[in-house]
Amino acid sequence: EAGVTQFPSHSVIEKGQTVTLRCDPISGHDNLYWYRRVMGKEIKFLLHFVKESKQDESGMPNNRFLAERTGGTYSTLKVQPAELEDSGVYFCASSQKEGKGFRTTEAFFGQGTRLTVV
Amino acid sequence: AQTVTQSQPEMSVQEAETVTLSCTYDTSESDYYLFWYKQPPSRQMILVIRQEAYKQQNATENRFSVNFQKAAKSFSLKISDSQLGDAAMYFCAYRSYGSSNTGKLIFGQGTTLQVKP
């Protein structure tokens, strides 16, 4: 079974340009999360999808970031226009749907996309 | 708000020896899980071990074990018989299952573990 995959693995763009990151979760996982690690700091939550709906986007830094999850499958995270402080590693994770009496206690991560804005 | 702190940016261990990575957290909730994730260089992060807050017994997975001190809000990871493949960045993480449960993980800053042959 394929794990969580992210594209591209690396991206170098100039300030002011647009970049789109993609995440393909594990098939059947309803939950999809985006996280970011900036310059050796802790990994921070950006947002959470349940299927195609945004459940929590409290971690999105500003309106230059736009996340979508088409049809509840793959997700994209667009940064437009990119700024220097957006550089970092962007992680995607997915997990199974939770239900009554059932807890999901493991999130599966992709390898991350390293974004460098110059 | 919940926080997770890893105070050791880097650690090193000799192959076959034992090393302990520290993690402290802060929460006012009683229903939560703690995790240790491992990220090898340029590879995806994988779950090493998890601990449910309600369980007093420390979790163990082969050479990996935790020392969970709930009152002290401490959650350290012990790696026994260290192997070269254990070299990675290790992240401590917290997830609430209580009133603030949103499914998100709260991470520490990470500890880079070097294993010397």
Side-chain angles (χ1 to χ4, degrees):
Chain A
E1 180 183 326
V4 177
T5 52
Q6 292 185 245
F7 307 96
S9 55
H10 294 88
S11 180
V12 180
I13 61 171
E14 292 184 351
K15 176 182 172 180
Q17 289 187 321
T18 297
V19 63
T20 300
L21 314 181
R22 174 170 168 147
C23 169
D24 286 76
I26 292 173
S27 177
H29 280 190
D30 284 357
N31 293 299
L32 188 149
Y33 303 86
W34 282 98
Y35 293 87
R36 176 174 76 168
R37 184 168 191 240
V38 174
M39 283 298 291
K41 296 188 177 179
E42 69 270 24
I43 299 170
K44 285 196 171 179
F45 167 81
L46 295 178
L47 87 160
H48 171 206
F49 284 99
V50 177
K51 295 186 179 179
E52 67 275 6
S53 300
K54 291 177 186 175
Q55 190 77 10
D56 179 3
E57 49 185 329
S58 61
M60 295 287 263
N62 52 59
N63 59 10
R64 296 186 293 103
F65 289 74
L66 175 64
E68 295 179 326
R69 189 177 182 191
T70 307
T73 55
Y74 71 91
S75 174
T76 57
L77 179 65
K78 180 190 286 188
V79 185
Q80 179 183 28
E83 298 289 346
L84 298 178
E85 64 263 25
D86 300 333
S87 296
V89 181
Y90 291 75
F91 294 99
C92 175
S94 72
S95 65
Q96 290 180 313
K97 172 184 174 181
E98 297 193 7
K100 201 169 185 179
F102 172 71
R103 285 183 170 184
T104 296
T105 60
E106 182 168 2
F108 296 84
F109 282 80
Q111 81 281 13
T113 294
R114 181 173 295 278
L115 174 64
T116 303
V117 183
V118 297
Chain B
Q2 297 88 14
T3 59
V4 177
T5 302
Q6 292 177 251
S7 58
Q8 305 157 315
E10 296 180 354
M11 292 282 285
S12 67
V13 63
Q14 208 69 33
E15 196 176 4
E17 297 293 307
T18 295
V19 65
T20 299
L21 308 184
S22 301
C23 172
T24 58
Y25 63 97
D26 191 25
T27 185
S28 58
E29 298 193 329
S30 58
D31 190 2
Y32 57 89
Y33 269 72
L34 295 163
F35 306 86
W36 279 99
Y37 278 87
K38 167 187 176 182
Q39 186 184 22
S42 301
R43 294 179 62 184
Q44 61 202 132
M45 203 150 40
I46 57 173
L47 179 65
V48 174
I49 197 165
R50 80 197 89 188
Q51 173 79 41
E52 183 178 358
Y54 284 130
K55 290 191 175 176
Q56 290 188 329
Q57 186 173 8
N58 290 323
T60 300
E61 291 285 345
N62 300 313
R63 298 181 296 106
F64 298 87
S65 61
V66 298
N67 183 3
F68 175 47
Q69 301 291 324
K70 192 171 183 178
K73 294 188 171 69
S74 170
F75 183 62
S76 59
L77 174 69
K78 185 170 83 171
I79 306 174
S80 304
D81 185 25
S82 297
Q83 300 176 359
L84 295 178
D86 295 333
M89 177 157 279
Y90 287 80
F91 292 97
C92 179
Y94 165 100
R95 179 188 164 172
S96 166
Y97 284 88
S99 59
S100 61
N101 178 17
T102 61
K104 69 183 180 186
L105 293 168
I106 298 170
F107 287 91
Q109 300 88 335
T111 297
T112 300
L113 178 65
Q114 181 185 27
V115 181
K116 298 178 181 178

Coordinates of all heavy atoms in Angstrom, one line a residue, chain A residues 15-45:
Chain A
K15 N 11.1 35.3 -4.5 CA 10.1 36.0 -3.7 C 9.1 36.6 -4.7 O 9.5 37.2 -5.7 CB 10.8 37.1 -2.9 CG 9.9 38.1 -2.2 CD 10.7 39.2 -1.5 CE 9.8 40.2 -0.9 NZ 10.5 41.3 -0.2
G16 N 7.8 36.5 -4.4 CA 6.8 37.1 -5.2 C 6.2 36.0 -6.2 O 5.1 36.3 -6.7
Q17 N 6.9 34.9 -6.4 CA 6.3 33.9 -7.2 C 5.3 33.0 -6.5 O 5.1 33.2 -5.3 CB 7.5 33.0 -7.8 CG 8.3 33.7 -8.8 CD 9.4 32.7 -9.4 OE1 9.9 31.9 -8.7 NE2 9.6 32.9 -10.7
T18 N 4.7 32.2 -7.3 CA 3.7 31.3 -6.7 C 4.2 29.8 -6.7 O 4.9 29.4 -7.7 CB 2.4 31.3 -7.6 OG1 1.8 32.7 -7.5 CG2 1.3 30.3 -7.1
V19 N 3.9 29.1 -5.7 CA 4.3 27.7 -5.6 C 3.1 26.9 -5.1 O 2.3 27.4 -4.3 CB 5.5 27.5 -4.7 CG1 5.1 27.9 -3.3 CG2 6.0 26.1 -4.8
T20 N 2.9 25.7 -5.7 CA 1.8 24.8 -5.3 C 2.4 23.5 -4.9 O 3.1 22.8 -5.6 CB 0.8 24.6 -6.4 OG1 0.3 25.8 -6.8 CG2 -0.3 23.7 -6.0
L21 N 2.1 23.1 -3.7 CA 2.6 21.9 -3.1 C 1.4 20.9 -3.2 O 0.3 21.3 -3.0 CB 3.0 22.0 -1.7 CG 4.0 23.2 -1.4 CD1 4.3 23.2 0.1 CD2 5.2 23.2 -2.2
R22 N 1.8 19.6 -3.4 CA 0.7 18.6 -3.5 C 0.9 17.5 -2.5 O 2.1 17.1 -2.2 CB 0.6 18.0 -4.9 CG -0.4 16.9 -5.0 CD -0.6 16.5 -6.4 NE -1.3 15.2 -6.5 CZ -2.2 14.9 -7.5 NH1 -2.5 15.7 -8.4 NH2 -2.8 13.7 -7.4
C23 N -0.2 17.0 -2.0 CA -0.1 15.8 -1.1 C -1.1 14.8 -1.5 O -2.3 15.1 -1.6 CB -0.4 16.3 0.4 SG -0.7 14.9 1.5
D24 N -0.7 13.6 -1.6 CA -1.6 12.4 -1.9 C -1.6 11.6 -0.6 O -0.6 10.9 -0.3 CB -1.1 11.6 -3.1 CG -1.4 12.3 -4.4 OD1 -0.6 13.2 -4.7 OD2 -2.3 11.9 -5.1
P25 N -2.7 11.6 0.1 CA -2.8 10.8 1.3 C -2.9 9.3 1.1 O -3.1 8.9 -0.1 CB -4.1 11.4 2.0 CG -5.0 11.7 0.8 CD -4.0 12.2 -0.2
I26 N -2.9 8.6 2.1 CA -3.2 7.1 2.0 C -4.6 7.0 1.6 O -5.5 7.6 2.1 CB -2.9 6.4 3.3 CG1 -1.4 6.4 3.5 CG2 -3.4 5.0 3.3 CD1 -0.9 5.9 4.9
S27 N -4.9 6.1 0.6 CA -6.2 5.9 0.1 C -7.2 5.5 1.2 O -6.9 4.6 2.0 CB -6.2 4.8 -1.0 OG -7.5 4.5 -1.4
G28 N -8.3 6.2 1.3 CA -9.3 5.9 2.3 C -9.2 6.7 3.5 O -10.1 6.7 4.4
H29 N -8.1 7.5 3.7 CA -8.0 8.3 4.9 C -8.8 9.6 4.7 O -8.5 10.4 3.8 CB -6.5 8.6 5.1 CG -5.7 7.5 5.8 ND1 -4.4 7.7 6.2 CD2 -6.1 6.3 6.0 CE1 -4.0 6.6 6.8 NE2 -5.0 5.7 6.7
D30 N -9.7 9.8 5.6 CA -10.5 11.0 5.6 C -9.8 12.2 6.1 O -10.1 13.3 5.6 CB -11.8 10.8 6.4 CG -12.8 9.9 5.8 OD1 -12.6 9.4 4.6 OD2 -13.8 9.6 6.4
N31 N -8.9 12.0 7.0 CA -8.2 13.2 7.7 C -6.9 13.5 6.9 O -6.1 12.6 6.6 CB -7.9 12.9 9.1 CG -9.1 12.7 10.0 OD1 -9.9 13.7 10.1 ND2 -9.3 11.6 10.6
L32 N -6.8 14.7 6.6 CA -5.5 15.2 6.0 C -5.1 16.5 6.7 O -5.9 17.4 6.9 CB -5.7 15.4 4.5 CG -4.5 15.7 3.6 CD1 -4.7 15.2 2.2 CD2 -4.1 17.2 3.6
Y33 N -3.8 16.5 7.1 CA -3.2 17.6 7.8 C -2.1 18.2 7.0 O -1.3 17.5 6.4 CB -2.7 17.2 9.2 CG -3.8 16.5 10.0 CD1 -4.0 15.1 10.0 CD2 -4.5 17.3 11.0 CE1 -5.0 14.5 10.8 CE2 -5.4 16.6 11.8 CZ -5.7 15.3 11.7 OH -6.6 14.7 12.5
W34 N -1.9 19.5 7.1 CA -0.7 20.2 6.7 C 0.0 20.8 7.9 O -0.6 21.4 8.8 CB -1.0 21.3 5.7 CG -1.3 20.8 4.3 CD1 -2.6 20.7 3.8 CD2 -0.4 20.5 3.3 NE1 -2.5 20.2 2.4 CE2 -1.2 20.1 2.1 CE3 1.0 20.5 3.2 CZ2 -0.6 19.8 0.9 CZ3 1.6 20.1 2.0 CH2 0.8 19.8 0.9
Y35 N 1.4 20.6 7.9 CA 2.2 21.1 8.9 C 3.4 21.8 8.3 O 3.7 21.6 7.1 CB 2.8 20.0 9.9 CG 1.8 19.3 10.7 CD1 1.1 18.2 10.2 CD2 1.5 19.7 12.0 CE1 0.1 17.5 11.0 CE2 0.6 19.1 12.8 CZ -0.1 18.0 12.3 OH -1.0 17.3 13.1
R36 N 4.1 22.7 9.0 CA 5.3 23.3 8.5 C 6.3 23.4 9.6 O 6.0 23.7 10.7 CB 4.9 24.7 8.0 CG 6.0 25.6 7.5 CD 5.6 26.9 6.9 NE 5.2 27.9 7.9 CZ 5.0 29.2 7.7 NH1 5.1 29.6 6.4 NH2 4.6 30.0 8.6
R37 N 7.6 23.3 9.1 CA 8.7 23.5 10.0 C 9.6 24.5 9.4 O 10.1 24.4 8.3 CB 9.5 22.2 10.3 CG 10.6 22.3 11.3 CD 11.2 21.0 11.7 NE 12.1 21.1 12.8 CZ 13.3 20.8 12.8 NH1 13.9 20.4 11.7 NH2 14.1 21.0 13.9
V38 N 9.8 25.6 10.2 CA 10.5 26.7 9.7 C 11.8 26.8 10.4 O 11.8 26.8 11.7 CB 9.7 28.0 9.9 CG1 10.6 29.2 9.5 CG2 8.4 28.0 9.0
M39 N 12.9 26.9 9.7 CA 14.3 27.2 10.2 C 14.6 26.5 11.6 O 14.9 27.2 12.5 CB 14.4 28.7 10.3 CG 14.7 29.4 9.0 SD 16.2 28.8 8.3 CE 17.4 29.5 9.4
G40 N 14.5 25.2 11.6 CA 14.9 24.5 12.8 C 14.0 24.7 14.0 O 14.3 24.2 15.1
K41 N 12.9 25.3 13.8 CA 11.9 25.4 14.9 C 11.0 24.2 15.0 O 11.2 23.2 14.2 CB 11.1 26.7 14.8 CG 12.0 27.9 14.9 CD 11.1 29.2 14.9 CE 12.0 30.4 15.1 NZ 11.1 31.6 15.1
E42 N 10.0 24.2 15.8 CA 9.1 23.1 15.9 C 8.2 23.0 14.7 O 7.9 24.0 14.0 CB 8.3 23.2 17.2 CG 7.2 24.3 17.3 CD 7.8 25.6 17.9 OE1 9.0 25.8 17.8 OE2 7.0 26.4 18.3
I43 N 7.7 21.8 14.5 CA 6.7 21.6 13.4 C 5.4 22.2 13.9 O 4.9 21.9 15.0 CB 6.6 20.1 13.2 CG1 7.9 19.5 12.7 CG2 5.5 19.9 12.1 CD1 7.9 18.0 12.6
K44 N 4.8 23.0 13.1 CA 3.5 23.7 13.5 C 2.4 23.3 12.5 O 2.6 23.2 11.3 CB 3.7 25.2 13.5 CG 4.5 25.7 14.6 CD 4.3 27.2 14.8 CE 5.0 27.6 16.1 NZ 4.8 29.1 16.4
F45 N 1.3 23.1 13.1 CA 0.0 22.8 12.4 C -0.4 23.9 11.5 O -0.4 25.1 12.0 CB -1.0 22.5 13.5 CG -2.4 22.4 12.9 CD1 -2.9 21.2 12.3 CD2 -3.3 23.5 13.1 CE1 -4.2 21.2 11.8 CE2 -4.6 23.4 12.6 CZ -5.0 22.2 12.0

